[in-house]
Each structure stands twice: as structure tokens, then as C-alpha cells.
Amino acid sequence: MFTIRPMVEEDIPSALALWQELPGIGLREADSPPALARYLRRNPGTSFVALNEVGEVIGVSLAGHDGRRGYLHHVAVAEAFRKQGLGRLLVERCAAVLKLEGIEKINLWVKADNAAGLAFWNRVGGRERRDIVTVSIITGDNPNA
Ligand SMILES: CC(C)(COP(=O)(O)OP(=O)(O)OC[C@H]1O[C@@H](n2cnc3c(N)ncnc32)[C@H](O)[C@@H]1OP(=O)(O)O)[C@@H](O)C(=O)NCCC(=O)NCCS
């Protein structure tokens, strides 16, 4: 049994603990607790956590939009709870609230070597783009910003 509710700032330590164990998730300076809190404040109500029956965070999907496109980051489910539809539910909840805000296209990034992650996205309605490469401009000193 699990429940899904909007992610709040108090969930950040649990989310980080979940993400830290997963090779498919690359954590960076943008994932520091203050930076994540800023993300949630800028994007209220569009990120979700899944909780088990004792209230532990077992799944997370971080989502937001810039007024034009939606973005999903760090969708993750604890290993013991995978393949039960939880990842799909988290993505659907994010997509539904983004749609209510008028956002009908969501972009996300998958590490090129994350074959399982890519298989998941293909099953939940994602369409892999081969016609685009990501370009980053880094304005600070940290190449891993
Ligand atoms: C990717 C992840 C979130 C999937 O979570 P999940 O709860 O197991 O996913 P679901 O049970 O909702 O699966 C949804 C669909 O994806 C498929 N799927 C899930 N994991 C899969 C895998 N490893 N390989 C192939 N298909 C997979 C399921 O079979 C299901 O398909 P179906 O509904 O057509 O039967 C989870 O494996 C995870 O946390 N991975 C590590 C973090 C990560 O890589 N996240 C993606 C970052 S881009």
C-alpha cells in the first residue's frame, strides 16, 4: 500500500536519501537542500512523493515548468517497490497538474547509459528524441553546477 501526495520542503532529506543510492540519478549542486527548496517554492504543487504505509518516502518525482515547457527530474522509486506501477503514477500526477497549468509538453533528460530508465520512459508515453542534443552554458565556477 502506498499513498501519493505533493512534495513539500520537509521531504527533501528523504528524497535525497533515496536519490543518493541510485546510479541512474546524477546529483549536482542544483540538488543541495536550499536549491531544491527554491525549486519547490518556484513550482508549488507540481512535484510528488509516494509514501509507504508507515509514511516513509519510497518514490519521488520532481516537476515544474517555465511557463512554456514542463520538466521532470529525478523520478525514482525505491527498489523494493518497483514494477508495481508507482513510477507511472508519479509521472501521471505530475503530468496532470502541469496540464491544468496549460503545459502539454514535458521534457526530461536520461543518462545515456541508463537503459532501464529509458525503457521506463518509453513505457509511460515518453518519446525519445534523436534530433536534439543538450547544450549547457555554465556561468559559475562549478562544471557540475
Ligand atoms: C525508472 C523507475 C522510476 C521505474 O519505477 P517503477 O515504479 O518500477 O515503474 P512502473 O512500475 O510504474 O513501470 C511503468 C512501466 O515501465 C516498465 N518498466 C519499469 N522499469 C523497467 C525496466 N527496468 N525495464 C523495462 N521496463 C520497465 C514497467 O514494466 C511498466 O510497463 P507497463 O506498464 O507497460 O507494464 C525505477 O526503476 C527507478 O527508480 N529507477 C532508478 C532511478 C532512475 O533511473 N530514474 C529515471 C531517471 S531518468
Side-chain angles (χ1 to χ4, degrees):
M1 265 298 292
F2 42 73
T3 53
I4 294 180
R5 64 157 171 74
M7 181 174 179
V8 293
E9 286 189 34
E10 289 71 25
D11 297 316
I12 290 171
S14 308
L16 281 168
L18 176 60
W19 291 330
Q20 262 149 9
E21 291 172 12
L22 303 174
I25 305 284
L27 292 179
R28 303 187 173 270
E29 203 170 273
D31 299 301
S32 69
L36 289 167
R38 183 177 62 176
Y39 187 85
L40 293 176
R41 283 196 299 275
R42 278 178 60 93
N43 296 282
T46 52
S47 298
F48 288 86
V49 288
L51 310 172
N52 65 11
E53 63 280 358
V54 292
E56 292 165 338
V57 171
I58 54 164
V60 188
S61 56
L62 203 60
H65 71 83
D66 58 14
R68 183 169 180 274
R69 295 293 187 226
Y71 300 93
L72 269 169
H73 307 276
H74 298 351
V75 175
V77 172
E79 204 146 355
F81 295 88
R82 288 184 192 167
K83 297 281 180 84
Q84 300 174 50
L86 191 45
R88 179 189 288 280
L89 279 176
L90 284 163
V91 170
E92 286 174 352
R93 288 293 292 271
C94 292
V97 292
L98 289 171
K99 191 164 183 172
L100 285 175
E101 297 195 28
I103 304 295
E104 297 192 342
K105 186 171 193 175
I106 302 168
N107 293 321
L108 59 103
W109 289 268
V110 186
K111 283 185 178 177
D113 63 358
N114 186 358
L118 204 49
F120 166 75
W121 289 113
N122 283 327
R123 300 299 299 173
V124 300
R127 185 166 64 88
E128 192 177 333
R129 300 287 297 266
R130 292 284 174 95
D131 55 331
I132 285 177
V133 292
T134 296
V135 176
S136 302
I137 296 175
I138 297 165
T139 56
D141 296 330
N142 183 355
N144 287 319

Coordinates of all heavy atoms in Angstrom, one line a residue, residues 18-19 22-26 58-60 72-79 81-91 108-111 114-124, ligand 1:
L18 N 16.9 8.8 -1.0 CA 16.5 7.9 -2.0 C 17.4 8.0 -3.3 O 17.9 7.1 -3.8 CB 15.0 8.1 -2.3 CG 14.4 7.2 -3.4 CD1 14.5 5.8 -3.1 CD2 12.9 7.6 -3.6
W19 N 17.5 9.3 -3.7 CA 18.3 9.5 -5.0 C 19.7 9.1 -4.8 O 20.3 8.6 -5.8 CB 18.2 11.0 -5.3 CG 16.9 11.5 -5.7 CD1 15.9 10.7 -6.4 CD2 16.3 12.8 -5.6 NE1 14.8 11.5 -6.6 CE2 15.0 12.8 -6.1 CE3 16.8 14.0 -5.0 CZ2 14.2 13.9 -6.2 CZ3 16.0 15.1 -5.0 CH2 14.8 15.1 -5.6
L22 N 21.0 5.7 -6.1 CA 20.7 5.3 -7.4 C 21.6 5.8 -8.5 O 21.8 7.0 -8.7 CB 19.2 5.8 -7.8 CG 18.2 5.3 -6.8 CD1 16.8 6.0 -7.1 CD2 18.0 3.8 -6.8
P23 N 22.3 4.8 -9.2 CA 23.2 5.2 -10.3 C 22.5 6.0 -11.4 O 23.2 6.8 -12.1 CB 23.8 3.9 -10.8 CG 22.9 2.8 -10.2 CD 22.2 3.4 -9.1
G24 N 21.2 5.8 -11.6 CA 20.5 6.5 -12.7 C 20.3 8.0 -12.4 O 19.9 8.7 -13.3
I25 N 20.5 8.4 -11.2 CA 20.3 9.8 -10.8 C 21.6 10.5 -10.5 O 22.4 10.0 -9.7 CB 19.4 9.8 -9.5 CG1 18.1 9.0 -9.6 CG2 19.2 11.2 -9.1 CD1 17.0 9.6 -10.4
G26 N 21.8 11.5 -11.3 CA 23.1 12.3 -11.1 C 22.8 13.5 -10.2 O 22.0 14.4 -10.6
I58 N 9.1 6.6 -0.5 CA 9.5 5.4 -1.4 C 9.5 5.8 -2.8 O 9.9 5.0 -3.7 CB 8.6 4.2 -1.1 CG1 7.2 4.5 -1.4 CG2 8.9 3.6 0.3 CD1 6.3 3.3 -1.5
G59 N 9.1 7.0 -3.2 CA 9.1 7.4 -4.6 C 9.1 8.9 -4.6 O 8.5 9.6 -3.7
V60 N 9.7 9.5 -5.7 CA 9.8 10.9 -5.8 C 9.7 11.3 -7.3 O 10.3 10.6 -8.1 CB 11.1 11.5 -5.3 CG1 11.0 13.1 -5.3 CG2 11.4 11.0 -3.9
L72 N 10.6 17.2 -16.0 CA 10.6 16.2 -14.9 C 12.1 15.9 -14.6 O 12.9 15.8 -15.5 CB 10.0 14.9 -15.5 CG 8.5 14.7 -15.3 CD1 8.0 13.6 -16.1 CD2 8.1 14.6 -13.8
H73 N 12.3 15.8 -13.3 CA 13.7 15.5 -12.8 C 13.6 14.4 -11.8 O 12.7 14.3 -10.9 CB 14.3 16.7 -12.1 CG 14.3 17.9 -12.9 ND1 15.2 18.3 -13.9 CD2 13.4 19.0 -12.9 CE1 15.0 19.4 -14.4 NE2 13.9 19.9 -13.8
H74 N 14.6 13.5 -11.8 CA 14.9 12.6 -10.7 C 13.6 11.7 -10.3 O 13.4 11.5 -9.1 CB 15.3 13.3 -9.5 CG 16.6 14.1 -9.6 ND1 17.4 14.0 -10.7 CD2 17.2 15.0 -8.8 CE1 18.5 14.7 -10.6 NE2 18.4 15.4 -9.5
V75 N 12.9 11.2 -11.3 CA 11.8 10.3 -11.0 C 12.5 9.0 -10.5 O 13.3 8.4 -11.2 CB 11.0 10.0 -12.2 CG1 9.9 9.0 -11.9 CG2 10.3 11.3 -12.7
A76 N 12.1 8.6 -9.3 CA 12.7 7.4 -8.7 C 11.8 6.7 -7.7 O 10.9 7.3 -7.1 CB 14.0 7.9 -7.9
V77 N 11.9 5.4 -7.7 CA 11.1 4.5 -6.8 C 12.1 3.6 -6.1 O 13.0 3.1 -6.7 CB 10.1 3.7 -7.6 CG1 9.4 2.7 -6.7 CG2 9.0 4.7 -8.3
A78 N 11.9 3.5 -4.8 CA 12.8 2.6 -4.0 C 12.7 1.2 -4.6 O 11.6 0.7 -5.0 CB 12.4 2.6 -2.6
E79 N 13.8 0.5 -4.6 CA 13.9 -0.8 -5.3 C 12.8 -1.8 -4.9 O 12.2 -2.4 -5.7 CB 15.3 -1.4 -5.1 CG 15.7 -2.4 -6.1 CD 17.2 -2.4 -6.4 OE1 17.9 -1.6 -5.9 OE2 17.6 -3.2 -7.2
F81 N 9.9 -1.4 -4.1 CA 8.5 -1.0 -4.5 C 8.4 -0.9 -6.0 O 7.4 -0.4 -6.5 CB 8.1 0.3 -3.8 CG 8.0 0.1 -2.3 CD1 9.1 0.3 -1.5 CD2 6.8 -0.2 -1.7 CE1 9.1 0.2 -0.2 CE2 6.7 -0.4 -0.4 CZ 7.9 -0.2 0.4
R82 N 9.4 -1.3 -6.8 CA 9.4 -1.1 -8.2 C 8.4 -2.1 -8.9 O 8.1 -3.1 -8.3 CB 10.8 -1.2 -8.8 CG 11.6 0.0 -8.5 CD 13.0 0.0 -9.1 NE 13.8 1.0 -8.5 CZ 15.1 1.1 -8.6 NH1 15.7 0.2 -9.4 NH2 15.7 2.1 -8.1
K83 N 8.1 -1.8 -10.2 CA 7.4 -2.7 -11.0 C 5.9 -3.0 -10.5 O 5.4 -4.0 -10.6 CB 8.1 -4.0 -11.3 CG 9.4 -3.9 -12.0 CD 9.2 -3.7 -13.5 CE 10.5 -3.6 -14.3 NZ 11.2 -4.8 -14.6
Q84 N 5.4 -2.0 -9.7 CA 4.0 -2.1 -9.3 C 3.2 -0.9 -9.8 O 2.2 -0.6 -9.2 CB 4.0 -2.1 -7.7 CG 4.8 -3.2 -7.1 CD 4.8 -3.1 -5.6 OE1 3.8 -2.8 -4.9 NE2 6.0 -3.2 -5.0
G85 N 3.8 -0.2 -10.7 CA 3.0 1.0 -11.3 C 3.2 2.3 -10.6 O 2.6 3.3 -11.0
L86 N 4.1 2.3 -9.6 CA 4.3 3.5 -8.8 C 5.0 4.6 -9.6 O 4.6 5.8 -9.6 CB 5.1 3.2 -7.5 CG 5.2 4.2 -6.5 CD1 3.9 4.9 -6.2 CD2 5.8 3.6 -5.2
G87 N 6.0 4.3 -10.4 CA 6.7 5.3 -11.2 C 5.7 5.9 -12.2 O 5.7 7.1 -12.4
R88 N 4.9 5.1 -12.8 CA 3.9 5.6 -13.8 C 3.0 6.5 -13.1 O 2.7 7.6 -13.6 CB 3.2 4.4 -14.4 CG 2.1 4.8 -15.4 CD 1.2 3.6 -15.8 NE 1.9 2.7 -16.6 CZ 2.1 2.8 -17.9 NH1 1.6 3.9 -18.5 NH2 2.7 1.9 -18.6
L89 N 2.5 6.2 -11.9 CA 1.5 7.0 -11.2 C 2.2 8.4 -10.8 O 1.5 9.4 -11.0 CB 1.1 6.3 -9.8 CG 0.0 5.3 -9.9 CD1 -0.2 4.7 -8.6 CD2 -1.3 5.9 -10.5
L90 N 3.4 8.4 -10.4 CA 4.1 9.6 -10.1 C 4.2 10.5 -11.3 O 3.9 11.7 -11.2 CB 5.5 9.3 -9.5 CG 5.5 8.8 -8.0 CD1 6.9 8.2 -7.7 CD2 5.2 10.0 -7.1
V91 N 4.6 9.9 -12.4 CA 4.7 10.7 -13.7 C 3.3 11.2 -14.1 O 3.1 12.4 -14.5 CB 5.3 9.8 -14.8 CG1 5.2 10.5 -16.1 CG2 6.8 9.5 -14.4
L108 N 12.5 15.9 -20.4 CA 13.4 15.3 -19.3 C 14.6 14.8 -19.9 O 14.7 14.6 -21.1 CB 12.6 14.3 -18.6 CG 12.1 13.1 -19.4 CD1 13.0 11.9 -19.2 CD2 10.7 12.7 -19.1
W109 N 15.6 14.6 -19.1 CA 16.9 14.1 -19.5 C 17.1 12.7 -18.9 O 16.9 12.5 -17.7 CB 18.0 15.0 -19.1 CG 18.0 16.3 -19.9 CD1 18.6 16.5 -21.1 CD2 17.2 17.5 -19.6 NE1 18.3 17.8 -21.5 CE2 17.4 18.4 -20.7 CE3 16.3 17.8 -18.6 CZ2 16.8 19.6 -20.7 CZ3 15.7 19.1 -18.6 CH2 16.0 20.0 -19.7
V110 N 17.7 11.8 -19.6 CA 18.0 10.5 -19.1 C 19.5 10.3 -19.4 O 20.0 10.5 -20.5 CB 17.2 9.4 -19.9 CG1 17.5 8.0 -19.3 CG2 15.7 9.7 -19.9
K111 N 20.2 9.8 -18.4 CA 21.7 9.5 -18.7 C 21.7 8.5 -19.8 O 21.0 7.5 -19.9 CB 22.3 8.9 -17.5 CG 22.6 9.9 -16.4 CD 23.4 9.2 -15.3 CE 23.9 10.1 -14.2 NZ 24.5 9.3 -13.1
N114 N 21.6 4.8 -19.0 CA 20.5 4.3 -18.2 C 19.5 3.6 -19.0 O 18.4 4.2 -19.3 CB 19.9 5.5 -17.4 CG 18.9 5.1 -16.3 OD1 18.6 3.9 -16.2 ND2 18.4 6.0 -15.6
A115 N 19.8 2.4 -19.5 CA 18.9 1.7 -20.4 C 17.6 1.4 -19.7 O 16.5 1.5 -20.3 CB 19.6 0.4 -20.8
A116 N 17.6 1.0 -18.4 CA 16.4 0.7 -17.7 C 15.5 1.9 -17.6 O 14.3 1.9 -17.8 CB 16.7 0.2 -16.3
G117 N 16.1 3.1 -17.3 CA 15.3 4.3 -17.2 C 14.7 4.7 -18.5 O 13.5 5.0 -18.6
L118 N 15.4 4.5 -19.6 CA 14.9 4.8 -20.9 C 13.7 3.8 -21.3 O 12.7 4.3 -21.8 CB 16.0 4.6 -21.9 CG 15.9 5.4 -23.2 CD1 15.6 6.8 -23.0 CD2 17.2 5.3 -24.0
A119 N 13.9 2.6 -20.9 CA 12.8 1.6 -21.1 C 11.5 2.0 -20.4 O 10.4 2.0 -20.9 CB 13.2 0.2 -20.7
F120 N 11.7 2.5 -19.1 CA 10.6 3.0 -18.4 C 9.9 4.2 -19.1 O 8.7 4.2 -19.3 CB 11.1 3.4 -17.0 CG 10.1 4.3 -16.2 CD1 9.0 3.7 -15.6 CD2 10.3 5.7 -16.1 CE1 8.1 4.5 -14.9 CE2 9.4 6.4 -15.4 CZ 8.3 5.9 -14.8
W121 N 10.7 5.1 -19.5 CA 10.1 6.3 -20.2 C 9.4 5.9 -21.4 O 8.3 6.5 -21.7 CB 11.2 7.4 -20.5 CG 11.7 8.0 -19.2 CD1 12.9 7.9 -18.6 CD2 10.9 8.8 -18.3 NE1 12.9 8.6 -17.4 CE2 11.7 9.2 -17.2 CE3 9.5 9.3 -18.3 CZ2 11.3 9.9 -16.1 CZ3 9.1 10.0 -17.2 CH2 10.0 10.4 -16.2
N122 N 9.9 5.0 -22.2 CA 9.2 4.5 -23.4 C 7.9 3.9 -23.0 O 6.9 4.0 -23.8 CB 10.1 3.5 -24.2 CG 11.2 4.2 -24.9 OD1 11.0 5.4 -25.4 ND2 12.3 3.6 -25.0
R123 N 7.8 3.2 -21.9 CA 6.5 2.6 -21.5 C 5.5 3.5 -21.0 O 4.3 3.2 -20.9 CB 6.8 1.5 -20.4 CG 7.7 0.4 -20.8 CD 7.2 -0.4 -22.0 NE 5.9 -1.1 -21.7 CZ 5.2 -1.8 -22.6 NH1 5.7 -1.8 -23.9 NH2 4.1 -2.3 -22.3
V124 N 5.9 4.7 -20.5 CA 5.0 5.6 -19.8 C 4.7 6.8 -20.8 O 4.2 7.9 -20.3 CB 5.4 6.1 -18.4 CG1 5.5 4.9 -17.5 CG2 6.7 6.9 -18.5
Ligands
LIG1 C1 12.6 4.0 -13.5 C2 11.8 3.8 -12.2 C3 11.4 5.1 -11.7 C4 10.6 3.0 -12.6 O1 9.7 2.8 -11.4 P1 8.6 1.7 -11.3 O2 7.7 2.0 -10.2 O3 9.3 0.4 -11.2 O4 7.9 1.8 -12.7 P2 6.4 1.2 -13.0 O5 6.1 0.0 -12.2 O6 5.4 2.3 -12.9 O7 6.6 0.8 -14.5 C5 5.9 1.5 -15.6 C6 6.2 0.8 -16.9 O8 7.6 0.8 -17.1 C7 8.1 -0.5 -17.2 N1 9.4 -0.6 -16.6 C8 9.7 -0.2 -15.3 N2 11.0 -0.4 -15.1 C9 11.5 -1.0 -16.2 C10 12.8 -1.6 -16.5 N3 13.8 -1.5 -15.6 N4 12.9 -2.1 -17.7 C11 11.9 -2.2 -18.6 N5 10.7 -1.7 -18.3 C12 10.5 -1.1 -17.1 C13 7.1 -1.4 -16.5 O9 7.2 -2.7 -16.9 C14 5.8 -0.7 -16.8 O10 5.4 -1.1 -18.1 P3 3.9 -1.5 -18.4 O11 3.0 -0.6 -17.5 O12 3.7 -1.3 -19.8 O13 3.8 -2.9 -17.9 C15 12.6 3.0 -11.2 O14 13.1 1.8 -11.8 C16 13.8 3.8 -10.6 O15 13.7 4.5 -9.6 N6 15.0 3.6 -11.3 C17 16.2 4.3 -10.8 C18 16.1 5.8 -11.0 C19 16.0 6.1 -12.5 O16 16.8 5.6 -13.3 N7 15.1 7.0 -12.8 C20 14.9 7.5 -14.1 C21 15.8 8.7 -14.2 S1 15.7 9.4 -15.8

